[in-house]
PDB file of all heavy atoms in Angstrom:
ATOM      1  N   GLY J 694       3.978  -6.768 -15.668  1.00 92.00           N
ATOM      2  CA  GLY J 694       3.970  -8.225 -15.708  1.00 92.00           C
ATOM      3  C   GLY J 694       5.207  -8.788 -15.039  1.00 92.00           C
ATOM      4  O   GLY J 694       6.071  -8.054 -14.557  1.00 92.00           O
ATOM      5  N   TYR J 695       5.284 -10.099 -15.007  1.00 94.00           N
ATOM      6  CA  TYR J 695       6.436 -10.765 -14.405  1.00 94.00           C
ATOM      7  C   TYR J 695       7.664 -10.577 -15.295  1.00 94.00           C
ATOM      8  O   TYR J 695       7.560 -10.374 -16.505  1.00 94.00           O
ATOM      9  CB  TYR J 695       6.147 -12.250 -14.223  1.00 94.00           C
ATOM     10  CG  TYR J 695       4.990 -12.514 -13.286  1.00 94.00           C
ATOM     11  CD1 TYR J 695       3.765 -12.946 -13.780  1.00 94.00           C
ATOM     12  CD2 TYR J 695       5.111 -12.310 -11.917  1.00 94.00           C
ATOM     13  CE1 TYR J 695       2.694 -13.176 -12.925  1.00 94.00           C
ATOM     14  CE2 TYR J 695       4.050 -12.536 -11.055  1.00 94.00           C
ATOM     15  CZ  TYR J 695       2.840 -12.971 -11.569  1.00 94.00           C
ATOM     16  OH  TYR J 695       1.783 -13.185 -10.728  1.00 94.00           O
ATOM     17  N   ALA J 696       8.824 -10.667 -14.673  1.00 94.00           N
ATOM     18  CA  ALA J 696      10.077 -10.460 -15.418  1.00 94.00           C
ATOM     19  C   ALA J 696      10.283 -11.539 -16.473  1.00 94.00           C
ATOM     20  O   ALA J 696      10.797 -11.271 -17.561  1.00 94.00           O
ATOM     21  CB  ALA J 696      11.260 -10.425 -14.454  1.00 94.00           C
ATOM     22  N   ASP J 697       9.897 -12.771 -16.170  1.00 95.00           N
ATOM     23  CA  ASP J 697      10.028 -13.864 -17.138  1.00 95.00           C
ATOM     24  C   ASP J 697       9.057 -14.980 -16.765  1.00 95.00           C
ATOM     25  O   ASP J 697       8.378 -14.925 -15.735  1.00 95.00           O
ATOM     26  CB  ASP J 697      11.465 -14.392 -17.196  1.00 95.00           C
ATOM     27  CG  ASP J 697      11.983 -14.835 -15.831  1.00 95.00           C
ATOM     28  OD1 ASP J 697      11.269 -15.574 -15.120  1.00 95.00           O
ATOM     29  OD2 ASP J 697      13.103 -14.429 -15.460  1.00 95.00           O
ATOM     30  N   TRP J 698       8.970 -15.981 -17.600  1.00 95.00           N
ATOM     31  CA  TRP J 698       7.982 -17.055 -17.405  1.00 95.00           C
ATOM     32  C   TRP J 698       8.276 -17.885 -16.157  1.00 95.00           C
ATOM     33  O   TRP J 698       7.355 -18.435 -15.537  1.00 95.00           O
ATOM     34  CB  TRP J 698       7.926 -17.943 -18.643  1.00 95.00           C
ATOM     35  CG  TRP J 698       9.151 -18.781 -18.891  1.00 95.00           C
ATOM     36  CD1 TRP J 698      10.283 -18.422 -19.569  1.00 95.00           C
ATOM     37  CD2 TRP J 698       9.367 -20.124 -18.451  1.00 95.00           C
ATOM     38  NE1 TRP J 698      11.192 -19.452 -19.575  1.00 95.00           N
ATOM     39  CE2 TRP J 698      10.659 -20.513 -18.910  1.00 95.00           C
ATOM     40  CE3 TRP J 698       8.609 -21.039 -17.728  1.00 95.00           C
ATOM     41  CZ2 TRP J 698      11.189 -21.771 -18.665  1.00 95.00           C
ATOM     42  CZ3 TRP J 698       9.137 -22.304 -17.476  1.00 95.00           C
ATOM     43  CH2 TRP J 698      10.417 -22.659 -17.935  1.00 95.00           C
ATOM     44  N   LYS J 699       9.535 -17.965 -15.754  1.00 96.00           N
ATOM     45  CA  LYS J 699       9.869 -18.727 -14.548  1.00 96.00           C
ATOM     46  C   LYS J 699       9.344 -18.032 -13.301  1.00 96.00           C
ATOM     47  O   LYS J 699       8.859 -18.684 -12.370  1.00 96.00           O
ATOM     48  CB  LYS J 699      11.384 -18.941 -14.457  1.00 96.00           C
ATOM     49  CG  LYS J 699      11.925 -19.879 -15.519  1.00 96.00           C
ATOM     50  CD  LYS J 699      13.427 -20.076 -15.368  1.00 96.00           C
ATOM     51  CE  LYS J 699      13.954 -21.028 -16.430  1.00 96.00           C
ATOM     52  NZ  LYS J 699      15.431 -21.204 -16.322  1.00 96.00           N
ATOM     53  N   GLU J 700       9.432 -16.706 -13.273  1.00 96.00           N
ATOM     54  CA  GLU J 700       8.868 -15.968 -12.142  1.00 96.00           C
ATOM     55  C   GLU J 700       7.353 -16.153 -12.101  1.00 96.00           C
ATOM     56  O   GLU J 700       6.756 -16.289 -11.036  1.00 96.00           O
ATOM     57  CB  GLU J 700       9.206 -14.484 -12.237  1.00 96.00           C
ATOM     58  CG  GLU J 700       8.682 -13.685 -11.036  1.00 96.00           C
ATOM     59  CD  GLU J 700       8.880 -12.186 -11.173  1.00 96.00           C
ATOM     60  OE1 GLU J 700       9.430 -11.729 -12.190  1.00 96.00           O
ATOM     61  OE2 GLU J 700       8.458 -11.467 -10.244  1.00 96.00           O
ATOM     62  N   ASN J 701       6.728 -16.173 -13.258  1.00 95.00           N
ATOM     63  CA  ASN J 701       5.291 -16.421 -13.348  1.00 95.00           C
ATOM     64  C   ASN J 701       4.927 -17.725 -12.642  1.00 95.00           C
ATOM     65  O   ASN J 701       3.960 -17.793 -11.871  1.00 95.00           O
ATOM     66  CB  ASN J 701       4.892 -16.473 -14.829  1.00 95.00           C
ATOM     67  CG  ASN J 701       3.406 -16.682 -15.051  1.00 95.00           C
ATOM     68  OD1 ASN J 701       2.590 -16.527 -14.149  1.00 95.00           O
ATOM     69  ND2 ASN J 701       3.055 -17.052 -16.269  1.00 95.00           N
ATOM     70  N   GLN J 733       4.125 -17.092 -22.793  1.00 96.00           N
ATOM     71  CA  GLN J 733       4.490 -15.963 -21.930  1.00 96.00           C
ATOM     72  C   GLN J 733       3.284 -15.222 -21.323  1.00 96.00           C
ATOM     73  O   GLN J 733       3.287 -13.982 -21.259  1.00 96.00           O
ATOM     74  CB  GLN J 733       5.346 -14.963 -22.714  1.00 96.00           C
ATOM     75  CG  GLN J 733       6.611 -15.532 -23.319  1.00 96.00           C
ATOM     76  CD  GLN J 733       7.748 -15.668 -22.323  1.00 96.00           C
ATOM     77  OE1 GLN J 733       8.067 -14.741 -21.599  1.00 96.00           O
ATOM     78  NE2 GLN J 733       8.363 -16.830 -22.294  1.00 96.00           N
ATOM     79  N   PHE J 735       1.060 -13.237 -18.812  1.00 95.00           N
ATOM     80  CA  PHE J 735       1.293 -12.387 -17.640  1.00 95.00           C
ATOM     81  C   PHE J 735       2.738 -11.900 -17.515  1.00 95.00           C
ATOM     82  O   PHE J 735       3.124 -11.351 -16.485  1.00 95.00           O
ATOM     83  CB  PHE J 735       0.886 -13.088 -16.336  1.00 95.00           C
ATOM     84  CG  PHE J 735      -0.423 -13.808 -16.380  1.00 95.00           C
ATOM     85  CD1 PHE J 735      -0.613 -14.977 -15.659  1.00 95.00           C
ATOM     86  CD2 PHE J 735      -1.482 -13.326 -17.129  1.00 95.00           C
ATOM     87  CE1 PHE J 735      -1.831 -15.652 -15.687  1.00 95.00           C
ATOM     88  CE2 PHE J 735      -2.699 -13.997 -17.178  1.00 95.00           C
ATOM     89  CZ  PHE J 735      -2.874 -15.167 -16.455  1.00 95.00           C
ATOM     90  N   VAL J 736       3.542 -12.125 -18.533  1.00 96.00           N
ATOM     91  CA  VAL J 736       4.948 -11.719 -18.507  1.00 96.00           C
ATOM     92  C   VAL J 736       5.091 -10.369 -19.203  1.00 96.00           C
ATOM     93  O   VAL J 736       4.443 -10.104 -20.219  1.00 96.00           O
ATOM     94  CB  VAL J 736       5.841 -12.776 -19.197  1.00 96.00           C
ATOM     95  CG1 VAL J 736       7.288 -12.282 -19.323  1.00 96.00           C
ATOM     96  CG2 VAL J 736       5.794 -14.087 -18.420  1.00 96.00           C
ATOM     97  N   ASP J 737       5.935  -9.502 -18.661  1.00 94.00           N
ATOM     98  CA  ASP J 737       6.185  -8.188 -19.254  1.00 94.00           C
ATOM     99  C   ASP J 737       6.621  -8.353 -20.707  1.00 94.00           C
ATOM    100  O   ASP J 737       7.580  -9.066 -20.995  1.00 94.00           O
ATOM    101  CB  ASP J 737       7.276  -7.467 -18.451  1.00 94.00           C
ATOM    102  CG  ASP J 737       7.479  -6.021 -18.893  1.00 94.00           C
ATOM    103  OD1 ASP J 737       6.721  -5.547 -19.762  1.00 94.00           O
ATOM    104  OD2 ASP J 737       8.391  -5.372 -18.362  1.00 94.00           O
TER     105      ASP J 737
END
Side-chain angles (χ1 to χ4, degrees):
Y695 298 107
D697 56 48
W698 69 273
K699 291 181 179 178
E700 182 186 0
N701 182 15
Q733 303 280 311
F735 316 146
V736 173
D737 187 4

